[in-house]
Every structure is written in C-alpha cells, then in structure tokens.
Amino acid sequence: MTEQPSRIRVWHRPMRSRDRGEHHRVATPLELLFDLCFVVAVGQAAAALHHALAEGHAAHGVTSFAMVFFAIWWGWLNFSWFASAYDTDDVPYRLATLVQIAGGLTIAAGVSRAFEGDFRVIVAGYVLMRLSLVGQWLRAARSVPETRPAALRFAAGIALCQVLWILRLFLPPSTAAVTFVAVVLCELAVPVVAERSARTAWHPHHIAERYGLFTLIVLGEVILSATNAVKEGTSESGHLGALISLAAAALVLVFSMWWLYFDRPGHARLVRRPGMFTAMSWGYGHYFIFASAAAVGAGLEVAVAYDTGTLHLSGVAAALPATVPVAVFLLSVWLLHIGPTNECRPIAIGFPVTAVLVLAASFTPAPIHVTAGLAAALVVLTVVATHGSPSPA
C-alpha cells in the first residue's frame, strides 16, 4: 500500500512549466527517437527531389520538396518547442508523442504521392500528428494556469489549421499553390498570436540543442545519399577515379557545413536577445537551414549521375542542384548564427561572399570540388579570424 501513490505518479504526473534557467536541460531519449523517425521523412523528400531533378523537372521538384518539407519541419518544430516548455515524461505524454511519431512516419509514406500532386496521405499523417499535439496543449492549459491563455490559443489555432488542410484537399488543383501558401501563413501565425498573451517557458539551451541535433541528422542523411549514389556509380566501368574524387569533395563539403553551423553556440543569440521576435525569426529561419542541407544530398546524387554519364543534363544544370542549396545554407547560417553586424568582420563578410562564389562555381568544370574548396576555405577563415579558439558557450 505504501508504494501505490508512487506508481500513480509514475503513470500520470501533473504537467508543469519548465524553468527557463534550468541547469543540465538536455534532449531526452524520447526526443531523440522522435528525430530519428522524422529523418525517414527527410530522406524520402530528398530522394523524391533527386528523381525530379534527374528527370529534368527542376521547378516541379523544388516546389514539391519545399511543400513536403514544410509539413516535416513544422511538425518537428511544434513538438520540439512544446517539449522544451512542458516535458513531463509520464505515460500519457509518451503515448501522445508516439502518436506524433506515427504521424511523421505516415507523412514519410506519402512523400512520393505528394510529388505527384496527391497530398492525401501526407495530410492524414499531418492531422494525426497535430491533433495529438492539440491534446497536449489542452493538458497544459488545464495544468499550468499561468500559461493557460497561450495554451488554449495554440490548441484552437492548430485545430483550425488542420480543418483548413483537410478542406484544401477538396479544392480544384488550380488553387493548390495559393491555398497552400494561405494555410502555411495561418500555421506560422498561430505561435505569434498565442504567445502574445502569455509566453511559454521554453529553454534556450535545450531548444538550441534540439535544432543542432536535427541538423546533425540531416547532414547524416546527406552523407547516406552521397554514399549510396557513389556505390551505385561504381558499377559503371571507367568512372572509379572520378567517383573517388567526387566522394572526397562531398565529404569535405559536409564536414565544412557541420563546422560552420556548430562553430558558434546556437543558444547565444536566444540568450542575448530573449524577445519573441528573436525566437520566431531564429526558429522559423531554420527551415532554410534544414531544407537546404537536405537538398544538398539530392544535389550530390545528381552530380554523381552526371559524372558517370547516366544523366543527360548540361554541366551547369547538373551543378545547380548542389551549389544553390549550399549557398542558401551559408546565407541562412550567416543570418541566424553569425549576423551581418558580427564584431569579427572577416567572418561576417566571409559567409555571403562565399555563398556568391559557390553559385559562381556552378559554371566551372568541377563545381562540387570548387564548392567544397570554398566551404573549407571559409572554415579556415573562421579558425584564423578567431585565432583557433573555440567559441564561448
């Protein structure tokens, strides 16, 4: 009888708001599982983009990738910020999170259909994932009075957006682009409206770690995509030397992207400027970091196919799928982590200049090698400019 209350608390603990200054606030195993399952959807989106680019449907592929990636990223973002503010880790919380993971895997299953214009499977997974989050927000509203107004607005806004996504399926295909943008704007507005009445207590170090971990997973997906492409390319005789050289360049490129993203502590800007605008711009802006990093993998696959002669595109057309996302990645990291007004002018100027040079590399005979060299040179610049000292935590 004396142990019964302990078992009840393990089953269902009161949800509480986390302390923004809590020490040793790190990602939980459940959050890591959430990320690993979501990377399946990222991989599917990158693979579909690669096929569209290889078939010469660049505009359609990029547009579909951007739409699909929004569903992946937005579902991940909403869970991550909620978990940073209210992580309770009891049985109901875990079950609700597992439902969201199931929704993310459903989205992954519908990626190929979405590239063909059929978003029904993705919407089904998205609604499953997001309605589970609505339940979490309602639980937070019941348990945490100080953030109840924000929690109720989150729950109502998310539920309304899911209704709009479902209604969009029944509209004429000619309205697809306009209605997608309209509902996306509604989704982006929900946190802005909800947080105006009462701020949720997300943890800056924890949320920066969560974003960093997802960046790592996406970069891992890039390495996997490039490795698989090189493996398939080795079956073609006469291209082994070119593939080894391309693989080395791709590895240098990914290592450089990792270095440049993690060279500055991700939480620094959130701590220095704790306002809602900084949190929103930093959190939303990572869409371009995640999406561009994932797209690099598709671009490297296109480059491998071009070098092995299995892709009939011009050299520039085969280079742009890799150089454009690398340039977007560099500009996004510059805006979110470095800043145009950074006190270290060589670094502040180096990022946008390198991005422009990467785009120009598309017109060179070896665009991937030149891009990798430019990214590595930017790493050297950051090391020299900071005298090799690690950035302060």
Side-chain angles (χ1 to χ4, degrees):
M1 293 298 293
T2 57
E3 295 182 359
Q4 185 65 20
S6 176
R7 286 199 296 270
I8 293 175
R9 285 196 297 272
V10 170
W11 157 254
H12 186 279
R13 297 187 180 96
M15 182 170 282
R16 60 184 178 86
S17 182
R18 302 295 293 246
D19 180 7
R20 289 176 63 90
E22 179 181 348
H23 295 293
H24 308 295
R25 178 76 170 97
V26 296
T28 66
L30 183 59
E31 290 172 323
L32 298 178
L33 177 63
F34 190 93
D35 291 354
L36 288 173
C37 291
F38 259 66
V39 80
V40 175
V42 173
Q44 291 295 312
L49 174 62
H50 163 242
H51 290 308
L53 294 172
E55 293 171 1
H57 306 305
H60 170 74
V62 171
T63 301
S64 299
F65 176 79
M67 296 169 70
V68 168
F69 201 89
F70 174 82
I72 300 169
W73 163 77
W74 190 243
W76 177 89
L77 178 147
N78 276 253
F79 164 78
S80 297
W81 286 80
F82 179 89
S84 187
Y86 295 104
D87 180 12
T88 300
D89 200 31
D90 58 5
V91 172
Y93 177 85
R94 290 187 176 190
L95 291 177
T97 301
L98 294 177
V99 171
Q100 292 181 68
I101 292 176
L105 294 175
T106 304
I107 289 176
V111 166
S112 58
R113 289 189 178 185
F115 270 71
E116 298 172 359
D118 183 1
F119 279 82
R120 289 177 296 178
V121 176
I122 278 191
V123 169
Y126 191 62
V127 171
L128 174 65
M129 178 174 57
R130 303 277 282 150
L131 288 183
S132 175
L133 185 61
V134 169
Q136 296 278 55
W137 278 115
L138 291 175
R139 184 183 175 193
R142 184 176 63 251
S143 304
V144 187
E146 60 268 25
T147 60
R148 181 172 297 142
L152 290 176
R153 284 186 171 88
F154 267 112
I158 293 171
L160 173 62
C161 288
Q162 304 327 295
V163 173
L164 294 178
W165 285 118
I166 294 173
L167 292 177
R168 181 178 173 273
L169 295 176
F170 300 95
L171 296 177
S174 58
T175 66
V178 174
T179 54
F180 180 85
V181 172
V183 182
V184 164
L185 291 176
C186 291
E187 290 274 17
L188 296 176
V190 170
V192 178
V193 174
E195 295 273 353
R196 290 180 64 182
S197 57
R199 297 285 303 279
T200 54
W202 50 271
H203 194 287
H205 287 76
H206 173 256
I207 204 67
E209 182 194 23
R210 297 288 294 115
Y211 274 68
L213 289 172
F214 200 73
T215 302
L216 284 175
I217 290 176
V218 173
L219 290 176
E221 180 61 34
V222 173
I223 294 175
L224 178 61
S225 298
T227 300
N228 288 336
V230 171
K231 180 181 177 180
E232 293 176 4
T234 54
S235 61
E236 302 289 336
S237 60
H239 300 287
L240 183 59
L243 287 175
I244 292 175
S245 176
L246 186 59
L251 202 59
V252 170
L253 177 59
V254 174
F255 287 169
S256 299
M257 292 170 66
W258 169 84
W259 192 303
L260 295 170
Y261 180 88
F262 289 99
D263 187 61
R264 299 282 164 172
H267 64 270
R269 191 171 184 180
L270 297 175
V271 172
R272 285 198 309 266
R273 302 176 181 176
M276 185 174 70
F277 176 78
T278 298
M280 294 295 177
S281 60
W282 190 88
Y284 288 1
H286 266 76
Y287 169 84
F288 298 100
I289 290 180
F290 294 156
S292 61
V296 169
L300 291 176
E301 289 186 87
V302 171
V304 170
Y306 177 79
D307 280 7
T308 56
T310 59
L311 185 64
H312 303 292
L313 294 176
S314 67
V316 174
L320 288 173
T323 57
V324 170
V326 170
V328 172
F329 179 88
L330 293 176
L331 289 174
S332 301
V333 172
W334 175 60
L335 289 172
L336 297 179
H337 281 198
I338 307 301
T341 60
N342 189 277
E343 64 277 3
C344 186
R345 298 310 296 167
I347 295 178
I349 298 173
F351 274 78
V353 169
T354 303
V356 173
L357 293 176
V358 165
L359 291 176
S362 307
F363 301 92
T364 64
I368 304 302
H369 297 75
V370 174
T371 298
L374 289 169
L378 183 57
V379 171
V380 173
L381 174 64
T382 61
V383 172
V384 172
T386 56
H387 306 290
S389 301
S391 301

